[in-house]
Amino acid sequence: DDVINDVFHGFGDRGRLPRDDRGRLDWTHRGPNRDLQFACRVNRHHFLKTLLSAYETTGEPRYLRRLDENLRDWLLAADGHPAPQGFGPGQLEAALRMPVWTTIFFRLQDESELRPATRLLLLAAIPAHAKYLRETVRRRHNFATMQMGGLGTLGLAFTEFQQADRWWDFARDVMVQEVRDQ
C-alpha cells in the first residue's frame, strides 16, 4: 500500500517520490535524507515484486495496475537507458532489475493489467541493459557476480533475442573466472 501511495523504502529510509506536473514520478529522488542510496534502491525495482506479491496474495487488480503504471513510467523516464543520469550509479541497479523484470514479464503473461505497451517498452529495454552489463562488468569485484547474474538471466529467459546465447555464454564465462579469481 505504501507503493500505491508513492512511498518507497530504501536502506532504512522511507520516503514519498514526488510527481511532476504531468504526474510522472521523480526516479532520481534521494529520499528524506537526500541519500543517493535511496535512489539506487528504488531503481533496482524490488518494489515491483512487492506489488506482484500483494496482487497474488489479495487478488486486487489495483496492485497490478500500479505495477504497470510504475514500470511504464520508469521505462519512459529512462528512455531505454540502463543507467540514466541521477537514477543511481547504474551497474548494480541494471543487474538487479533483470531478475525482477523477468519475473514480472513471465508471471503476468495472462494478466491484462500489464499492458502491451509496457511489455513492449520492457522488451525494448532489454538489449541495452544486456549491452551495458557486458560492457561495464567490474572484474574481481562482487559487482561482477551480480552483473553476470543479471546478464545470464536475460540470456536464459529471453532466448528469442539474437544475442541471448552470447549473453549467457559471456555471463557464464565471466562468472566462472570470477569464482576462481575471488
Side-chain angles (χ1 to χ4, degrees), residues 4 8 28-29 34 44-45 48-49 75 105 128 130 132 149 152 168 170 173 181:
I4 293 283
F8 293 80
T28 66
H29 184 66
R34 302 180 67 169
R44 293 174 183 175
H45 290 183
L48 294 173
K49 285 181 80 173
L75 288 161
F105 187 81
Y132 177 75
W168 166 245
F170 183 84
D173 293 348
D181 293 346

Side-chain angles (χ1 to χ4, degrees), residues 56-117:
E56 290 176 338
T57 301
T58 67
E60 291 188 38
R62 67 186 177 118
Y63 294 117
L64 284 189
R65 284 192 296 271
R66 181 49 63 98
L67 183 154
D68 174 81
E69 179 186 316
N70 284 359
L71 178 57
R72 187 172 8 90
D73 187 76
W74 187 93
L75 288 161
L76 289 170
D79 193 26
H81 299 288
Q85 187 72 24
F87 282 41
Q91 293 162 328
L92 285 181
E93 290 67 41
L96 295 173
R97 274 193 298 273
M98 296 307 90
V100 174
W101 286 7
T102 302
T103 298
I104 297 297
F105 187 81
F106 288 106
R107 294 252 291 268
L108 298 178
Q109 283 297 304
D110 297 325
E111 298 293 342
S112 61
E113 283 81 6
L114 186 62
R115 292 187 258 177

